[in-house]
Amino acid sequence: MYLPRNASNARLREAENARANRAQIVKAFSHGQVSRRDLIRMGLMSAAGTLVMTNGLSVFAPSAYADSSIPTGAPRSPLFGVLPFTQPMPRFDVLPRNAVSTLNPAPTVQANTTQQPLNAALEGVRPGDTGPIEGRPPGPIWAHQQFAAFPPQVAIEVTQEGAKVNNVYNPGVTSNFNSGINAAAPFRPTFHPGLPDQSALALWTHNGTLPPKLMIVRYGEPVLFRHRNKLPFDVTQNGGFGRHTISTHEHNGHHGAENDGFTGAFFFPGQFYDYHYPIVLAGYRTINTGATDPRAGGPNDSGGIVNVAGDWRETMSTHWFHDHMFSFTAQNVYKGIAGMFNIYSSLDRGNEAINDGVNLRLPSGTAKSFGNLEYDVNLMLADKAWDNNGQLFFDIFNFDGFLGDQMTVNLAYKPFFEVERRKYRFRILNAAVSRFFKLALSDGSPMIQIANDGNLLPHPVTLTETDELGIAERYDLVIDFSRYSVGSKVWMVNLTEHEDGTGPKNDLSIAAAVAGNSSDPAVGKFFEFRIVRNPAVADQSQVPATLIPNPDLSAVPVARTRTFVFGDGADQTTRDPVTSFRGPWGIGTNGGKVLDADFGRVSAAPRFGTRETWTLVNDGGGWDHPIHIHFEEGQILARNGSANNVPAAEKGRKDVYRLRPDGSVTITMQFRDWGGMFMEHCHNTVHEDNAMLLRWEIDDNGAPFVRPLPTPIPKPQGVTFQPPDDVLPGAL
Ligand SMILES: [Cu+2]
């Protein structure tokens, strides 16, 4: 939410007062000092959960200053004199890959329930209480599936922590591939060196530091990813928004549910949670079980391939991981708890020189056997807002969605990036809360899209403007800078204009966006490429005409079809204080009522080993909902009923499906290899949190699974289980 450029001083004051008033309510609400019921009684909130149209409070209240059609909420974030394109874009901070033996305590198949004294500042803790050191739900159902078959070979540890200086920044490349940044220098927690540092309560990140973290893995090398929650014990120590309990989702991991970051399997400050990522190809139990096809594999340490079982056409590449705390995902991700995850394979080696007939030789580098980052660049796009002190600001009472007014790349305000005259691969993540981005180069030059979401496309798509990236979508774009001369510049431009969080309002032409006249401050140039030199070694990378074809499902029967309608005006039929939430948004399943989220409700339970076809329907109202389905990559069969409506860039496997206004998407997925409870939700995380999310599960693969699964209820003293609050008719 933002004010127009020409807003009067009086209007700015009004907006700042409204922002401050809302921030007070948000704070009181997040601290538990007032309940939703209290707010309703005070006349500040409707029963549906929306803030009422009170002048001086609501972003939608009619203003005394009718100088704009754009809803206001906050004055523009102050820039403290900082100009765009004056700081280098930091490359991601690569997480160290350690021996599993370095983990203390050693990882266990079932949650480690060794007791520890609990900090009395935690909610519901009395002096003398103890609780388990690991927050994973205990027992066989939440044990690591196939742990003996896929023992971890690499350990990666990370914390969730308040902002602090980074003294161990590892960009994975030398300084000349990081725009001259001296990685040995302390890296401050700020969006720009000229802006104030973020406080430890305002910004929460992995390891508490910037830049955001990158995890590097490969097929055939299972990973144990240990998360330690070092957020404040006192729930009120949150800088006004954010929740100190965490569940880390690997988006879109093909792993057992115990590793998926289920929204109700959250853990508390002082606890750790072990996520086990076997990094297997889907179908490993039934396809290529002898691991004889070198296209199904991962890179070894000497340029060769380690074959693995599974379908090579299920190879994935660009993932991300982020908090998935029930009803607090938007706040926690916005606060900084998000990283990226590159998966290397025999096809996508991260070494452009290896010419073995399997490697696609995409832009990357040549120095290491795999995972070269010189020309393979992760970009995390996110719009942010900050208050008069420069501290992150979030408005949790805008249930349409939250928009920031300042563009960041890798959490740096409008940076520049130095490139050589050659091809680069950019793995672009839309990490916004509610904003869509349509990307172009300022001079209208072509880009080649090679991947959508976690997956390389069947064929690359050359374009001058991308589609609108939905929240959580990934677009891998190859840009060839050899067309530019040394010393020149070109900018990445956002063409999609928002007026509010409902979805894209308007797509501008490149010229109109570059002109900078949009009333949406996130439109226009936000990222500068500086072409600084010729490559020292000739560009050996390629973009083959065929990348990864889709798995052939023609012989797999469709066991079930289901329909999910995403809309507002949702009902809630349960009252569980932990699992059930109220909000305007919801999902209707198979013709039933549109329901608010309850992670204790089972909405669908596909049979293990089957294929289903799901149709996701937008209930209308001009909204766009980017729907994420956990666990299995899907293929889009049709948009609005026809395969002809599926654009080329959506013809690969996907995990986020934009519904588009009044649209529907028909997808097909297989449910195999792993079990447990997963989710389906809108990835406009404000919609997700309020409460457009449902639980589905694979629960019929025999012991330890039971049908339906018991719901975990996390407490600092340990996770208990209760029967589902609800099982929708036809779910099982
Ligand atoms: Cu939505």
Side-chain angles (χ1 to χ4, degrees), residues 251-254 282 314-316 319 452-455 474 553 628-635 653-655 657 667-670 672:
H251 183 129
N252 188 44
H254 186 69
E314 294 283 3
T315 302
M316 300 192 282
H319 284 198
N452 187 209
D453 295 346
N455 310 293
R474 281 86 65 219
L553 303 183
H628 176 42
I629 300 175
H630 287 219
F631 181 62
E632 258 283 349
E633 309 289 290
Q635 295 179 38
R653 294 155 296 129
K654 281 185 64 59
D655 58 58
Y657 312 95
I667 63 170
T668 190
M669 293 180 299
Q670 299 179 80
R672 51 185 173 170

Side-chain angles (χ1 to χ4, degrees), residues 624-627 682-684 687 692:
D624 199 342
H625 301 291
I627 304 304
C682 184
H683 225 297
N684 177 335
H687 298 183
M692 194 179 256

Side-chain angles (χ1 to χ4, degrees), residues 1-55:
M1 299 291 108
Y2 39 81
L3 283 173
R5 247 168 251 278
N6 57 358
S8 66
N9 286 339
R11 181 72 187 271
L12 288 169
R13 270 196 305 279
E14 177 194 61
E16 173 56 24
N17 286 338
R19 189 200 65 76
N21 292 343
R22 276 199 314 282
Q24 283 301 314
I25 296 172
V26 168
K27 199 165 151 187
F29 184 58
S30 76
H31 293 179
Q33 290 162 351
V34 293
S35 67
R36 201 169 275 247
R37 189 162 299 152
D38 294 331
L39 292 173
I40 293 168
R41 205 177 300 126
M42 287 186 272
L44 299 176
M45 192 184 246
S46 72
T50 46
L51 208 62
V52 299
M53 306 284 261
T54 304
N55 208 357

